[in-house]
Amino acid sequence: MKRLFTYELNVSTFNVEQNQKQGNFKSMQAKLNYFKLLNTNVIFVKDILKDYENVTDIKIVNDKNGSLSDFINLVNNFKKEKIFISPIIDLKKLKKTFLNWKNLMSLYSSMTNDKTTQINFNMLESKYILNNIDPNNNIVDLANFILYFDKIINFYNECNVQCFTLVNFEYLLFGSKNINKNLQRLEDLYKMIKRINPNALVILKSSKYNKRVYSQIFKQYKKGKCADYLYVNHFALNGINLDLPYAKIPNFNYAKFLSQYKFLSQSPFFIMSLGSSLCARINSLWGNEQAYNWEAAKTLLLLNLASKSSFGLYYGDELGMLNNIDIKSWDENNINRANEEKRFYESKKIPFDKYSKAKRMLSSDNANNVLKWDNDKKIYEYPLLNSLNSDKNNVENELSNKMSPLQFLLNMNSFFELEGFNKDYDFINIKVKSNLNKNIFIITLDKHVDPKMQVIFVINLANKNNSLLFIKNKLQVVQSSYFNKIYTEIPKKLSPFESIVFIKK
């Protein structure tokens, strides 16, 4: 099975060119070579039909992310380089997506037919049909669900999209206690897509860990298929109380993470991404915003690379991007919502200082910071958000600096390619161990085809020194998160976020 390298981004903030208010499809297309450099196979973007919700003027949409023609050009040009643009379709909001599609068709119809008045389907129907359908309720809802799904998939197929990502698929599985029976619904959706385009990739996206469901989907993949890959990106929520996310800054639960990592790291069928749009920047949450920023970023990249799973990257994580400079800028421009939220936490007897520190650290607004491409010290104005250390954590600086996280990722990609790991994953065994008290992971990959070799990843997730007494074999150092450190022997002590790659041929 092929190991994918995927990249999820926000089109509006991925590449904001000079004199632009936000990024768009054209500015994203301008960075095609960057995606080629990262060996990207799939790029996840939001459902573009969302842009047509309650819109009465096509110019409003075109001035934001770009026109439908811009999107189709993006899809086609990336496909020529074997990179698939994959819109994320929310199955739980399928009716709304369908109404957005009808509105798009109406808007473009009014342009081509020169009509002065057109019914805005989205505004009209959403006024009277507010609730989303639930295919678990009755046969009518199920029939409508299939109709809406078919229209949306056919629309994207006409745009030459060849990779479809379905999120919130879980709610289709819990209509009865028999998950195996309900998996038939996913299999039916899979077959619908394959009938429209036999070469299409179908990816399920999950944001809430459920080993039982994942296991059943994986078994189904081996038997008859209801997905080609399963994309998992919930890790940033580790330790967070989802009912009161800003009650406190959580402690990282290593045991929970290790259990999930062990299961998902066994196959390229699972796409693992540590960062996501669900929470704050992973390098601020788990890494270090100060002296060890780059070492921590490289350690987190290595943790993801070391598994057998497909590699998922959330934009900016390859640079060690941090949280934004000041979350207050968001609050000040959303004053009513901010005040209501503060009152809610006060009602739960959570002190304001505790709440504000947690929000600054955990807010998902941090996930939408602008990615910087050069050393220009420009500060973007709201609603664009600026990340900490963007003068250092930018593409231009990191491509020219051998110690950077981006260069580390490129070097590791070259190593995996050179040693044949990317194509021989069916012949690789993985073992994952951990010393939970010391926050050290030992991950071993054994490749059983030529060139036969063993790769050992020693990953220190702690912001402190740790002893390393359980690696005794004579091994060769390939890479380290500490670029300038020279290893004449296996170290007995690891510095903060010091992670090492050993090989044994």
Side-chain angles (χ1 to χ4, degrees):
M1 184 179 190
K2 182 177 181 179
R3 189 192 196 201
L4 292 184
F5 283 74
T6 70
Y7 195 96
E8 183 175 349
L9 57 81
N10 181 342
V11 175
S12 300
T13 56
F14 174 69
N15 179 27
V16 181
E17 295 181 334
Q18 195 169 10
N19 300 323
Q20 277 188 328
K21 292 183 178 179
Q22 65 173 65
N24 55 33
F25 298 131
K26 287 183 178 179
S27 64
M28 178 181 166
Q29 188 170 309
K31 298 303 179 183
L32 173 58
N33 287 334
Y34 182 70
F35 293 110
K36 290 166 64 176
L37 184 68
L38 294 177
N39 292 332
T40 310
N41 305 118
V42 175
I43 301 173
F44 299 111
V45 297
K46 76 170 185 178
D47 174 17
I48 69 164
L49 293 172
K50 174 71 175 172
D51 293 337
Y52 294 86
E53 185 174 331
N54 296 335
V55 172
T56 57
D57 185 352
I58 197 72
K59 189 177 183 300
I60 295 173
V61 179
N62 294 348
D63 288 345
K64 289 184 177 179
N65 288 337
S67 68
L68 186 57
S69 295
D70 293 337
F71 176 72
I72 294 172
N73 288 335
L74 174 75
V75 171
N76 289 334
N77 287 323
F78 275 59
K79 190 189 289 188
K80 289 176 185 176
E81 302 295 337
K82 298 182 179 179
I83 301 173
F84 298 132
I85 303 296
S86 184
I88 300 172
I89 301 166
D90 192 338
L91 295 181
K92 212 168 184 179
K93 298 178 180 178
L94 207 60
K95 177 187 284 186
K96 184 177 286 187
T97 305
F98 172 73
L99 294 175
N100 294 341
W101 167 78
K102 290 183 76 174
N103 196 36
L104 176 149
M105 300 302 289
S106 171
L107 290 168
Y108 276 96
S109 174
S110 66
M111 291 173 58
T112 56
N113 295 332
D114 246 354
K115 295 178 181 177
T116 55
T117 58
Q118 273 284 329
I119 296 174
N120 188 303
F121 289 104
N122 191 26
M123 294 289 286
L124 179 67
E125 295 197 28
S126 61
K127 184 176 179 180
Y128 298 103
I129 312 173
L130 193 60
N131 296 323
N132 249 302
I133 57 170
D134 185 351
N136 297 314
N137 281 345
N138 55 60
I139 192 68
V140 175
D141 271 359
L142 181 59
N144 284 331
F145 182 91
I146 293 170
L147 170 66
Y148 300 159
F149 185 77
D150 180 70
K151 291 291 185 184
I152 294 162
I153 298 301
N154 269 293
F155 161 74
Y156 276 119
N157 186 61
E158 289 297 317
C159 296
N160 289 327
V161 167
Q162 198 170 322
C163 183
F164 302 88
T165 301
L166 311 179
V167 69
N168 283 324
F169 66 89
E170 292 95 339
Y171 97 113
L172 295 175
L173 305 180
F174 300 117
S176 72
K177 294 181 180 179
N178 190 341
I179 289 182
N180 286 330
K181 182 179 179 181
N182 286 346
L183 279 174
Q184 182 65 46
R185 294 176 179 176
L186 287 181
E187 190 174 341
D188 290 342
L189 298 183
Y190 180 84
K191 289 177 178 177
M192 284 178 67
I193 295 175
K194 292 292 186 177
R195 276 196 292 268
I196 294 169
N197 184 349
N199 297 318
L201 269 181
V202 182
I203 299 174
L204 299 178
K205 182 184 180 186
S206 175
S207 302
K208 188 174 181 180
Y209 185 78
N210 190 321
K211 184 177 180 180
R212 182 183 170 214
V213 169
Y214 296 172
S215 298
Q216 294 298 329
I217 291 174
F218 188 48
K219 288 178 182 177
Q220 188 75 2
Y221 160 77
K222 289 183 173 180
K223 292 178 182 178
K225 288 195 176 182
C226 58
D228 296 306
Y229 291 90
L230 177 60
Y231 177 32
V232 181
N233 70 338
H234 67 278
F235 295 101
L237 299 174
N238 182 296
I240 296 175
N241 178 355
L242 298 181
D243 294 325
L244 285 170
Y246 307 140
K248 63 177 182 178
I249 297 175
N251 294 320
F252 183 74
N253 189 328
Y254 287 92
K256 183 178 181 180
F257 175 80
L258 178 64
S259 172
Q260 296 174 359
Y261 183 90
K262 276 185 175 181
F263 173 72
L264 295 170
S265 65
Q266 299 298 320
S267 171
F269 174 75
F270 300 107
I271 304 169
M272 277 204 295
S273 176
L274 299 183
S276 76
S277 61
L278 300 170
C279 194
R281 286 283 162 183
I282 196 71
N283 287 286
S284 286
L285 287 175
W286 299 0
N288 187 281
E289 293 185 339
Q290 303 299 327
Y292 297 104
N293 174 216
W294 276 8
E295 288 78 12
K298 286 185 272 188
T299 288
L300 292 172
L301 287 170
L302 192 59
L303 181 63
N304 208 351
L305 283 166
S307 76
K308 277 184 66 176
S309 66
S310 291
F311 181 72
L313 200 59
Y314 188 71
Y315 85 101
D317 288 349
E318 73 275 23
L319 307 175
M321 185 187 283
L322 300 173
N323 282 348
N324 64 52
I325 294 172
D326 191 356
I327 200 70
K328 288 181 181 178
S329 61
W330 188 90
D331 281 346
E332 288 167 358
N333 285 276
N334 298 270
I335 203 77
N336 291 332
R337 180 175 168 180
N339 286 337
E340 285 301 312
E341 189 176 78
K342 291 171 186 174
R343 287 174 60 194
F344 173 74
Y345 277 88
E346 285 174 0
S347 72
K348 300 296 180 181
K349 298 182 179 180
I350 295 167
F352 176 76
D353 285 349
K354 197 173 182 180
Y355 153 78
S356 59
K357 286 179 182 178
K359 179 162 186 181
R360 184 264 162 193
M361 177 61 74
L362 303 175
S363 174
S364 60
D365 298 306
N366 292 298
N368 294 312
N369 296 342
V370 174
L371 189 147
K372 288 290 293 289
W373 290 90
D374 52 41
N375 289 312
D376 182 7
K377 295 184 179 181
K378 177 181 178 181
I379 299 296
Y380 295 96
E381 294 183 4
Y382 184 85
L384 297 177
L385 298 173
N386 303 276
S387 65
L388 294 163
N389 286 8
S390 61
D391 56 331
K392 180 183 177 184
N393 295 356
N394 63 72
V395 177
E396 181 184 357
N397 182 51
E398 295 205 15
L399 281 176
S400 63
N401 193 323
K402 294 180 180 180
M403 296 186 292
S404 72
L406 181 56
Q407 283 289 0
F408 179 82
L409 175 61
L410 298 178
N411 290 339
M412 286 304 303
N413 280 345
S414 297
F415 168 74
F416 275 104
E417 193 68 37
L418 182 66
E419 299 296 346
F421 275 83
N422 288 340
K423 63 180 180 180
D424 293 327
Y425 265 77
D426 290 336
F427 305 97
I428 294 172
N429 292 331
I430 182 170
K431 296 178 182 176
V432 182
K433 298 180 181 179
S434 176
N435 183 331
L436 295 178
N437 294 325
K438 297 184 179 297
N439 313 327
I440 294 178
F441 287 76
I442 309 292
I443 303 167
T444 305
L445 296 180
D446 283 299
K447 187 157 77 78
H448 301 295
V449 293
D450 290 331
K452 294 181 180 179
M453 65 186 305
Q454 185 178 74
V455 182
I456 298 175
F457 304 85
V458 178
I459 298 172
N460 179 20
L461 283 173
N463 191 12
K464 63 180 181 180
N465 294 329
N466 264 321
S467 59
L468 183 62
L469 303 176
F470 37 91
I471 298 290
K472 298 180 180 178
N473 295 329
K474 292 183 178 180
L475 303 170
Q476 177 185 344
V477 175
V478 177
Q479 280 281 1
S480 168
S481 58
Y482 279 61
F483 179 81
N484 288 327
K485 192 167 184 176
I486 298 174
Y487 298 89
T488 57
E489 60 182 4
I490 296 174
K492 295 180 181 179
K493 185 174 71 172
L494 295 176
S495 299
F497 296 108
E498 181 179 3
S499 299
I500 309 172
V501 183
F502 299 98
I503 62 168
K504 180 181 180 183
K505 292 192 176 181

